[in-house]
Amino acid sequence: MRKTKIAGTGSYLPEKVLTNADLEKMIDTSDEWIRTRTGIKERRIVAQGQASSDLAYEASRKAMQAAQVKAEELDMIIVATITPDMIFPATACVLQEKLGVKGIAAFDLEAACSGFLYGITIGSQFIATGMYDNILVVAAEALSKIIDWKDRSTCVIFADGAGAAVLQPSFDNSGIISNYLGADGTGADLVGVPAGGSRLPASQETVRDRQHYMKMRGNGLFKRAVKAMIQAIDVSLEKGGLTYNEIDFFIPHQANIRIINPVAKRIGLDKNKVCINLDQCGNMSAASVAVALDQAVREGKIKKGDKVLLTCFGGGLTWASLVIEW
Ligand code: COA
């Protein structure tokens, strides 16, 4: 079995910045509430007409450039998203066409905030068996399109962006050490978009009742997030034969600073080893960890040989944790 490394990363954030002060003008909220309850100061929002595949394309180009891989060398494209361009065809197929390649496998993966780590884990299986050598994993979200801009409990949190990684076989110590995926469908009602699928197809009533927007029971999620993330970290470290103090850098899902802090405290990591971008980027679901990873790599925060822990929790419920030696 071959080891999988991340040969290059890329990310893209839409140009439009939406600050907490902007939100104060739109809904009954305050900068103080958003900052203290979530840690978010501003976020990026897509332009009119911009869809997830557009963000995915920009992030992919940068990741491929970093990995020095041409589009025609790719073997497979996985796009993790809960905001596909449309229900079908897959956004991965739309992206494939934008990248100018034909014939290679392309599919979407829906694991909400855990999607990028699910994608890397799935992609790494094809690298491990020797079936493929270059796999593009992209997490792209245009969450502003499914947010109810009248619902202050969600619209201050979610945002848009994309991150990508090119997976390749590793022939040295670098690469994925361990990974762990999990899910619990008993929490499926805690966050989601009720209408627009086969259970509740689009109708005048669903539109009138705002059922095509994301609904979230934040409190219920909050309690389960901390517990699930710590458990996922413990399992992934145990599988890799590692202890907390061997981790050099931690990239958690960026849902809430009040979730990240207790998790980081539990594993005893200094603040400077914990990657935070939610203050600038909000919660970009699957794209959060993907963008944070790329930013950390480009800012030189992750160095060759570092053991990097990435952990996510999100809708489904789903969770994932991965340790990689850079
Ligand atoms: N501005 C001002 N007040 C707000 C507000 C906003 N944007 N949003 C909610 N409130 C109010 C509520 O109405 C409530 O008021 P009340 O006490 O008068 O009823 C109060 O603030 C507390 O609301 P609550 O929902 O209990 O807040 P919270 O401390 O749980 O924070 C979240 C809300 C969403 C930030 C938090 O629950 C969270 O981050 N949850 C986890 C989300 C998550 O992990 N998602 C994973 C999938 S992405």
Side-chain angles (χ1 to χ4, degrees), residues 28-30 33-34 37-38 113 152-153 156-158 191 216 218-219 221-222 225 253 255-256 258-259 283 313-315:
D28 178 18
T29 191
S30 67
W33 192 95
I34 303 170
R37 304 308 290 167
T38 71
C113 306
R152 66 177 184 173
S153 69
V156 303
I157 295 168
F158 294 99
V191 59
M216 181 170 84
N219 238 313
L221 279 168
F222 194 98
H253 175 50
N256 192 319
R258 293 185 296 127
I259 293 174
N283 180 345
F313 170 84

Side-chain angles (χ1 to χ4, degrees), residues 13 15-23 31 34-35 38-45 156-159 277-283:
L13 296 172
E15 274 169 35
K16 187 181 173 194
V17 178
L18 187 73
T19 65
N20 291 350
D22 294 330
L23 284 163
D31 170 54
I34 303 170
R35 264 189 301 104
T38 71
I40 301 167
K41 293 177 186 156
E42 61 182 45
R43 72 287 287 144
R44 300 296 183 97
I45 302 295
V156 303
I157 295 168
F158 294 99
N277 72 358
L278 95 161
D279 55 334
Q280 303 294 315
C281 298
N283 180 345

